[in-house]
mmCIF file of all heavy atoms in Angstrom:
data_model
loop_
_atom_site.group_PDB
_atom_site.id
_atom_site.type_symbol
_atom_site.label_atom_id
_atom_site.label_comp_id
_atom_site.label_asym_id
_atom_site.label_seq_id
_atom_site.Cartn_x
_atom_site.Cartn_y
_atom_site.Cartn_z
ATOM 1 N N MET A 1 -4.592 -8.210 -2.097
ATOM 2 C CA MET A 1 -3.819 -8.054 -3.319
ATOM 3 C C MET A 1 -3.560 -9.421 -3.949
ATOM 4 O O MET A 1 -3.372 -10.419 -3.246
ATOM 5 C CB MET A 1 -2.478 -7.375 -3.029
ATOM 6 C CG MET A 1 -2.550 -6.011 -2.358
ATOM 7 S SD MET A 1 -3.368 -4.743 -3.336
ATOM 8 C CE MET A 1 -2.292 -4.651 -4.784
ATOM 9 N N LEU A 2 -3.522 -9.436 -5.272
ATOM 10 C CA LEU A 2 -3.153 -10.628 -6.028
ATOM 11 C C LEU A 2 -1.845 -10.348 -6.745
ATOM 12 O O LEU A 2 -1.710 -9.317 -7.414
ATOM 13 C CB LEU A 2 -4.234 -10.990 -7.048
ATOM 14 C CG LEU A 2 -5.629 -11.291 -6.523
ATOM 15 C CD1 LEU A 2 -6.573 -11.579 -7.683
ATOM 16 C CD2 LEU A 2 -5.592 -12.479 -5.569
ATOM 17 N N SER A 3 -0.884 -11.251 -6.597
ATOM 18 C CA SER A 3 0.417 -11.079 -7.230
ATOM 19 C C SER A 3 0.753 -12.325 -8.033
ATOM 20 O O SER A 3 0.541 -13.442 -7.565
ATOM 21 C CB SER A 3 1.500 -10.838 -6.184
ATOM 22 O OG SER A 3 2.783 -10.810 -6.786
ATOM 23 N N ALA A 4 1.285 -12.128 -9.241
ATOM 24 C CA ALA A 4 1.640 -13.252 -10.096
ATOM 25 C C ALA A 4 2.872 -13.992 -9.600
ATOM 26 O O ALA A 4 3.212 -15.046 -10.087
ATOM 27 C CB ALA A 4 1.863 -12.786 -11.532
ATOM 28 N N ARG A 5 3.534 -13.447 -8.629
ATOM 29 C CA ARG A 5 4.728 -14.081 -8.064
ATOM 30 C C ARG A 5 4.838 -13.685 -6.612
ATOM 31 O O ARG A 5 4.333 -12.641 -6.195
ATOM 32 C CB ARG A 5 5.979 -13.634 -8.821
ATOM 33 C CG ARG A 5 6.048 -12.129 -8.963
ATOM 34 C CD ARG A 5 7.174 -11.681 -9.856
ATOM 35 N NE ARG A 5 7.126 -10.218 -9.984
ATOM 36 C CZ ARG A 5 8.172 -9.465 -10.233
ATOM 37 N NH1 ARG A 5 9.351 -10.013 -10.375
ATOM 38 N NH2 ARG A 5 8.065 -8.167 -10.343
ATOM 39 N N ALA A 6 5.513 -14.512 -5.855
ATOM 40 C CA ALA A 6 5.688 -14.220 -4.423
ATOM 41 C C ALA A 6 6.903 -13.314 -4.237
ATOM 42 O O ALA A 6 7.739 -13.552 -3.376
ATOM 43 C CB ALA A 6 5.865 -15.521 -3.652
ATOM 44 N N ASP A 7 6.999 -12.303 -5.091
ATOM 45 C CA ASP A 7 8.130 -11.389 -5.043
ATOM 46 C C ASP A 7 8.031 -10.505 -3.809
ATOM 47 O O ASP A 7 6.982 -9.923 -3.529
ATOM 48 C CB ASP A 7 8.151 -10.530 -6.311
ATOM 49 C CG ASP A 7 9.378 -9.639 -6.384
ATOM 50 O OD1 ASP A 7 10.405 -10.103 -6.891
ATOM 51 O OD2 ASP A 7 9.286 -8.489 -5.912
ATOM 52 N N ALA A 8 9.133 -10.387 -3.082
ATOM 53 C CA ALA A 8 9.130 -9.628 -1.832
ATOM 54 C C ALA A 8 8.714 -8.186 -2.053
ATOM 55 O O ALA A 8 7.981 -7.613 -1.248
ATOM 56 C CB ALA A 8 10.512 -9.691 -1.181
ATOM 57 N N ILE A 9 9.144 -7.600 -3.166
ATOM 58 C CA ILE A 9 8.809 -6.197 -3.422
ATOM 59 C C ILE A 9 7.316 -6.046 -3.653
ATOM 60 O O ILE A 9 6.663 -5.154 -3.094
ATOM 61 C CB ILE A 9 9.605 -5.662 -4.629
ATOM 62 C CG1 ILE A 9 11.105 -5.652 -4.306
ATOM 63 C CG2 ILE A 9 9.130 -4.263 -5.006
ATOM 64 C CD1 ILE A 9 11.977 -5.213 -5.461
ATOM 65 N N ASP A 10 6.730 -6.910 -4.485
ATOM 66 C CA ASP A 10 5.294 -6.856 -4.741
ATOM 67 C C ASP A 10 4.502 -6.997 -3.448
ATOM 68 O O ASP A 10 3.564 -6.247 -3.182
ATOM 69 C CB ASP A 10 4.876 -7.981 -5.693
ATOM 70 C CG ASP A 10 5.228 -7.665 -7.147
ATOM 71 O OD1 ASP A 10 5.652 -6.531 -7.411
ATOM 72 O OD2 ASP A 10 5.064 -8.557 -7.990
ATOM 73 N N VAL A 11 4.879 -7.990 -2.652
ATOM 74 C CA VAL A 11 4.156 -8.278 -1.421
ATOM 75 C C VAL A 11 4.234 -7.107 -0.449
ATOM 76 O O VAL A 11 3.226 -6.619 0.062
ATOM 77 C CB VAL A 11 4.703 -9.558 -0.757
ATOM 78 C CG1 VAL A 11 4.089 -9.748 0.630
ATOM 79 C CG2 VAL A 11 4.406 -10.775 -1.632
ATOM 80 N N VAL A 12 5.456 -6.644 -0.193
ATOM 81 C CA VAL A 12 5.646 -5.574 0.790
ATOM 82 C C VAL A 12 4.998 -4.275 0.329
ATOM 83 O O VAL A 12 4.346 -3.582 1.119
ATOM 84 C CB VAL A 12 7.146 -5.367 1.079
ATOM 85 C CG1 VAL A 12 7.371 -4.133 1.935
ATOM 86 C CG2 VAL A 12 7.714 -6.598 1.779
ATOM 87 N N LEU A 13 5.153 -3.927 -0.955
ATOM 88 C CA LEU A 13 4.540 -2.698 -1.458
ATOM 89 C C LEU A 13 3.024 -2.734 -1.301
ATOM 90 O O LEU A 13 2.404 -1.741 -0.908
ATOM 91 C CB LEU A 13 4.911 -2.474 -2.927
ATOM 92 C CG LEU A 13 6.330 -1.995 -3.207
ATOM 93 C CD1 LEU A 13 6.564 -1.883 -4.713
ATOM 94 C CD2 LEU A 13 6.593 -0.647 -2.544
ATOM 95 N N GLY A 14 2.423 -3.885 -1.614
ATOM 96 C CA GLY A 14 0.979 -4.016 -1.468
ATOM 97 C C GLY A 14 0.526 -3.875 -0.030
ATOM 98 O O GLY A 14 -0.441 -3.172 0.267
ATOM 99 N N LEU A 15 1.236 -4.516 0.884
ATOM 100 C CA LEU A 15 0.875 -4.442 2.297
ATOM 101 C C LEU A 15 1.118 -3.047 2.859
ATOM 102 O O LEU A 15 0.320 -2.532 3.643
ATOM 103 C CB LEU A 15 1.660 -5.483 3.091
ATOM 104 C CG LEU A 15 1.339 -6.946 2.764
ATOM 105 C CD1 LEU A 15 2.327 -7.870 3.450
ATOM 106 C CD2 LEU A 15 -0.084 -7.299 3.162
ATOM 107 N N GLU A 16 2.231 -2.426 2.455
ATOM 108 C CA GLU A 16 2.515 -1.069 2.928
ATOM 109 C C GLU A 16 1.490 -0.070 2.407
ATOM 110 O O GLU A 16 1.231 0.954 3.040
ATOM 111 C CB GLU A 16 3.920 -0.648 2.514
ATOM 112 C CG GLU A 16 5.022 -1.345 3.297
ATOM 113 C CD GLU A 16 6.411 -0.885 2.883
ATOM 114 O OE1 GLU A 16 6.536 -0.314 1.778
ATOM 115 O OE2 GLU A 16 7.357 -1.105 3.652
ATOM 116 N N ALA A 17 0.892 -0.369 1.255
ATOM 117 C CA ALA A 17 -0.125 0.513 0.693
ATOM 118 C C ALA A 17 -1.438 0.422 1.459
ATOM 119 O O ALA A 17 -2.324 1.252 1.249
ATOM 120 C CB ALA A 17 -0.356 0.183 -0.778
ATOM 121 N N GLY A 18 -1.549 -0.586 2.323
ATOM 122 C CA GLY A 18 -2.751 -0.703 3.138
ATOM 123 C C GLY A 18 -3.534 -1.977 2.939
ATOM 124 O O GLY A 18 -4.618 -2.135 3.514
ATOM 125 N N ALA A 19 -3.016 -2.907 2.119
ATOM 126 C CA ALA A 19 -3.723 -4.167 1.916
ATOM 127 C C ALA A 19 -3.729 -4.993 3.202
ATOM 128 O O ALA A 19 -2.801 -4.921 4.006
ATOM 129 C CB ALA A 19 -3.067 -4.967 0.792
ATOM 130 N N ASP A 20 -4.786 -5.777 3.376
ATOM 131 C CA ASP A 20 -4.923 -6.609 4.566
ATOM 132 C C ASP A 20 -4.272 -7.973 4.388
ATOM 133 O O ASP A 20 -3.866 -8.603 5.361
ATOM 134 C CB ASP A 20 -6.408 -6.791 4.896
ATOM 135 C CG ASP A 20 -7.071 -5.469 5.244
ATOM 136 O OD1 ASP A 20 -6.964 -5.053 6.405
ATOM 137 O OD2 ASP A 20 -7.662 -4.846 4.352
ATOM 138 N N ASP A 21 -4.196 -8.449 3.160
ATOM 139 C CA ASP A 21 -3.622 -9.760 2.894
ATOM 140 C C ASP A 21 -3.267 -9.812 1.413
ATOM 141 O O ASP A 21 -3.576 -8.898 0.652
ATOM 142 C CB ASP A 21 -4.640 -10.858 3.249
ATOM 143 C CG ASP A 21 -3.988 -12.208 3.522
ATOM 144 O OD1 ASP A 21 -2.756 -12.346 3.280
ATOM 145 O OD2 ASP A 21 -4.683 -13.132 3.974
ATOM 146 N N TYR A 22 -2.599 -10.906 0.995
ATOM 147 C CA TYR A 22 -2.303 -11.085 -0.415
ATOM 148 C C TYR A 22 -2.376 -12.562 -0.760
ATOM 149 O O TYR A 22 -2.236 -13.439 0.105
ATOM 150 C CB TYR A 22 -0.919 -10.521 -0.767
ATOM 151 C CG TYR A 22 0.222 -11.451 -0.436
ATOM 152 C CD1 TYR A 22 0.761 -12.297 -1.403
ATOM 153 C CD2 TYR A 22 0.740 -11.503 0.843
ATOM 154 C CE1 TYR A 22 1.795 -13.170 -1.093
ATOM 155 C CE2 TYR A 22 1.770 -12.370 1.165
ATOM 156 C CZ TYR A 22 2.290 -13.198 0.193
ATOM 157 O OH TYR A 22 3.303 -14.071 0.513
ATOM 158 N N VAL A 23 -2.627 -12.844 -2.024
ATOM 159 C CA VAL A 23 -2.683 -14.216 -2.537
ATOM 160 C C VAL A 23 -1.830 -14.269 -3.796
ATOM 161 O O VAL A 23 -1.906 -13.375 -4.647
ATOM 162 C CB VAL A 23 -4.134 -14.643 -2.859
ATOM 163 C CG1 VAL A 23 -4.159 -16.029 -3.485
ATOM 164 C CG2 VAL A 23 -4.997 -14.606 -1.607
ATOM 165 N N THR A 24 -1.008 -15.306 -3.909
ATOM 166 C CA THR A 24 -0.124 -15.456 -5.061
ATOM 167 C C THR A 24 -0.814 -16.235 -6.178
ATOM 168 O O THR A 24 -1.450 -17.253 -5.938
ATOM 169 C CB THR A 24 1.166 -16.182 -4.648
ATOM 170 O OG1 THR A 24 1.817 -15.450 -3.615
ATOM 171 C CG2 THR A 24 2.121 -16.299 -5.824
ATOM 172 N N LYS A 25 -0.689 -15.738 -7.396
ATOM 173 C CA LYS A 25 -1.219 -16.439 -8.572
ATOM 174 C C LYS A 25 -0.148 -17.382 -9.132
ATOM 175 O O LYS A 25 1.035 -17.055 -9.055
ATOM 176 C CB LYS A 25 -1.638 -15.431 -9.647
ATOM 177 C CG LYS A 25 -2.775 -14.515 -9.225
ATOM 178 C CD LYS A 25 -3.355 -13.736 -10.402
ATOM 179 C CE LYS A 25 -2.368 -12.831 -11.067
ATOM 180 N NZ LYS A 25 -2.975 -12.011 -12.142
ATOM 181 N N PRO A 26 -0.556 -18.518 -9.703
ATOM 182 C CA PRO A 26 -1.930 -19.015 -9.803
ATOM 183 C C PRO A 26 -2.442 -19.483 -8.446
ATOM 184 O O PRO A 26 -1.688 -20.074 -7.674
ATOM 185 C CB PRO A 26 -1.813 -20.172 -10.785
ATOM 186 C CG PRO A 26 -0.411 -20.662 -10.636
ATOM 187 C CD PRO A 26 0.410 -19.439 -10.328
ATOM 188 N N PHE A 27 -3.701 -19.200 -8.154
ATOM 189 C CA PHE A 27 -4.252 -19.536 -6.854
ATOM 190 C C PHE A 27 -5.355 -20.580 -6.991
ATOM 191 O O PHE A 27 -6.006 -20.703 -8.027
ATOM 192 C CB PHE A 27 -4.810 -18.289 -6.161
ATOM 193 C CG PHE A 27 -5.746 -17.475 -7.016
ATOM 194 C CD1 PHE A 27 -7.069 -17.847 -7.189
ATOM 195 C CD2 PHE A 27 -5.298 -16.322 -7.645
ATOM 196 C CE1 PHE A 27 -7.928 -17.099 -7.977
ATOM 197 C CE2 PHE A 27 -6.141 -15.563 -8.432
ATOM 198 C CZ PHE A 27 -7.465 -15.962 -8.602
ATOM 199 N N ASP A 28 -5.520 -21.334 -5.924
ATOM 200 C CA ASP A 28 -6.619 -22.284 -5.835
ATOM 201 C C ASP A 28 -7.868 -21.514 -5.428
ATOM 202 O O ASP A 28 -7.827 -20.693 -4.510
ATOM 203 C CB ASP A 28 -6.286 -23.359 -4.798
ATOM 204 C CG ASP A 28 -7.377 -24.400 -4.683
ATOM 205 O OD1 ASP A 28 -8.363 -24.146 -3.961
ATOM 206 O OD2 ASP A 28 -7.252 -25.468 -5.295
ATOM 207 N N GLY A 29 -8.978 -21.773 -6.091
ATOM 208 C CA GLY A 29 -10.205 -21.045 -5.802
ATOM 209 C C GLY A 29 -10.648 -21.169 -4.357
ATOM 210 O O GLY A 29 -11.139 -20.198 -3.760
ATOM 211 N N ALA A 30 -10.450 -22.352 -3.784
ATOM 212 C CA ALA A 30 -10.848 -22.559 -2.393
ATOM 213 C C ALA A 30 -9.993 -21.728 -1.441
ATOM 214 O O ALA A 30 -10.479 -21.216 -0.430
ATOM 215 C CB ALA A 30 -10.742 -24.043 -2.036
ATOM 216 N N VAL A 31 -8.699 -21.581 -1.767
ATOM 217 C CA VAL A 31 -7.805 -20.773 -0.938
ATOM 218 C C VAL A 31 -8.213 -19.309 -1.006
ATOM 219 O O VAL A 31 -8.287 -18.616 0.025
ATOM 220 C CB VAL A 31 -6.344 -20.943 -1.390
ATOM 221 C CG1 VAL A 31 -5.442 -19.940 -0.676
ATOM 222 C CG2 VAL A 31 -5.869 -22.365 -1.109
ATOM 223 N N LEU A 32 -8.484 -18.816 -2.215
ATOM 224 C CA LEU A 32 -8.906 -17.422 -2.361
ATOM 225 C C LEU A 32 -10.196 -17.167 -1.583
ATOM 226 O O LEU A 32 -10.322 -16.163 -0.874
ATOM 227 C CB LEU A 32 -9.110 -17.084 -3.834
ATOM 228 C CG LEU A 32 -9.604 -15.667 -4.120
ATOM 229 C CD1 LEU A 32 -8.592 -14.632 -3.656
ATOM 230 C CD2 LEU A 32 -9.898 -15.495 -5.621
ATOM 231 N N LEU A 33 -11.150 -18.083 -1.705
ATOM 232 C CA LEU A 33 -12.420 -17.926 -0.999
ATOM 233 C C LEU A 33 -12.205 -17.903 0.511
ATOM 234 O O LEU A 33 -12.807 -17.090 1.225
ATOM 235 C CB LEU A 33 -13.366 -19.064 -1.377
ATOM 236 C CG LEU A 33 -14.766 -19.014 -0.777
ATOM 237 C CD1 LEU A 33 -15.494 -17.755 -1.213
ATOM 238 C CD2 LEU A 33 -15.559 -20.258 -1.185
ATOM 239 N N ALA A 34 -11.326 -18.778 1.005
ATOM 240 C CA ALA A 34 -11.037 -18.822 2.444
ATOM 241 C C ALA A 34 -10.408 -17.513 2.909
ATOM 242 O O ALA A 34 -10.731 -17.005 3.990
ATOM 243 C CB ALA A 34 -10.113 -20.000 2.761
ATOM 244 N N ARG A 35 -9.517 -16.953 2.106
ATOM 245 C CA ARG A 35 -8.877 -15.690 2.480
ATOM 246 C C ARG A 35 -9.903 -14.550 2.498
ATOM 247 O O ARG A 35 -9.874 -13.701 3.386
ATOM 248 C CB ARG A 35 -7.759 -15.355 1.494
ATOM 249 C CG ARG A 35 -6.593 -16.332 1.516
ATOM 250 C CD ARG A 35 -5.737 -16.165 2.764
ATOM 251 N NE ARG A 35 -4.574 -17.014 2.689
ATOM 252 C CZ ARG A 35 -3.440 -16.687 2.077
ATOM 253 N NH1 ARG A 35 -3.303 -15.521 1.496
ATOM 254 N NH2 ARG A 35 -2.422 -17.532 2.069
ATOM 255 N N ILE A 36 -10.782 -14.516 1.503
ATOM 256 C CA ILE A 36 -11.809 -13.481 1.460
ATOM 257 C C ILE A 36 -12.697 -13.561 2.690
ATOM 258 O O ILE A 36 -12.969 -12.554 3.351
ATOM 259 C CB ILE A 36 -12.655 -13.612 0.175
ATOM 260 C CG1 ILE A 36 -11.822 -13.246 -1.045
ATOM 261 C CG2 ILE A 36 -13.898 -12.725 0.260
ATOM 262 C CD1 ILE A 36 -12.518 -13.504 -2.371
ATOM 263 N N ARG A 37 -13.146 -14.760 3.021
ATOM 264 C CA ARG A 37 -14.038 -14.921 4.170
ATOM 265 C C ARG A 37 -13.332 -14.603 5.485
ATOM 266 O O ARG A 37 -13.939 -14.041 6.406
ATOM 267 C CB ARG A 37 -14.607 -16.344 4.181
ATOM 268 C CG ARG A 37 -15.658 -16.548 3.092
ATOM 269 C CD ARG A 37 -16.187 -17.943 3.044
ATOM 270 N NE ARG A 37 -17.344 -18.034 2.147
ATOM 271 C CZ ARG A 37 -17.811 -19.154 1.635
ATOM 272 N NH1 ARG A 37 -17.210 -20.314 1.918
ATOM 273 N NH2 ARG A 37 -18.861 -19.145 0.849
ATOM 274 N N ALA A 38 -12.048 -14.941 5.565
ATOM 275 C CA ALA A 38 -11.287 -14.628 6.789
ATOM 276 C C ALA A 38 -11.166 -13.123 6.978
ATOM 277 O O ALA A 38 -11.325 -12.605 8.086
ATOM 278 C CB ALA A 38 -9.906 -15.278 6.740
ATOM 279 N N VAL A 39 -10.879 -12.392 5.886
ATOM 280 C CA VAL A 39 -10.766 -10.937 5.982
ATOM 281 C C VAL A 39 -12.108 -10.321 6.357
ATOM 282 O O VAL A 39 -12.176 -9.410 7.190
ATOM 283 C CB VAL A 39 -10.252 -10.344 4.650
ATOM 284 C CG1 VAL A 39 -10.367 -8.822 4.658
ATOM 285 C CG2 VAL A 39 -8.804 -10.746 4.413
ATOM 286 N N LEU A 40 -13.183 -10.824 5.790
ATOM 287 C CA LEU A 40 -14.510 -10.295 6.110
ATOM 288 C C LEU A 40 -14.884 -10.580 7.563
ATOM 289 O O LEU A 40 -15.500 -9.738 8.222
ATOM 290 C CB LEU A 40 -15.554 -10.890 5.164
ATOM 291 C CG LEU A 40 -15.473 -10.406 3.710
ATOM 292 C CD1 LEU A 40 -16.393 -11.225 2.832
ATOM 293 C CD2 LEU A 40 -15.814 -8.923 3.614
#
């Protein structure tokens, strides 16, 4: 999940819905890529 803020509600709702991880926007491209590869 991508969230425009590190809001607890956004984060928890996304994870409870079944997401494996989340990244807060604005994000660094290298961080996003690292998270994608880690999940894969």
Side-chain angles (χ1 to χ4, degrees):
M1 303 297 298
L2 300 178
S3 174
R5 50 187 177 153
D7 185 87
I9 295 177
D10 282 352
V11 172
V12 172
L13 285 177
L15 294 171
E16 287 181 341
D20 297 277
D21 202 351
Y22 81 96
V23 176
T24 302
K25 296 192 298 184
F27 50 80
D28 181 277
V31 171
L32 178 63
L33 183 61
R35 295 287 186 85
I36 291 173
R37 287 178 170 162
V39 170
L40 290 171

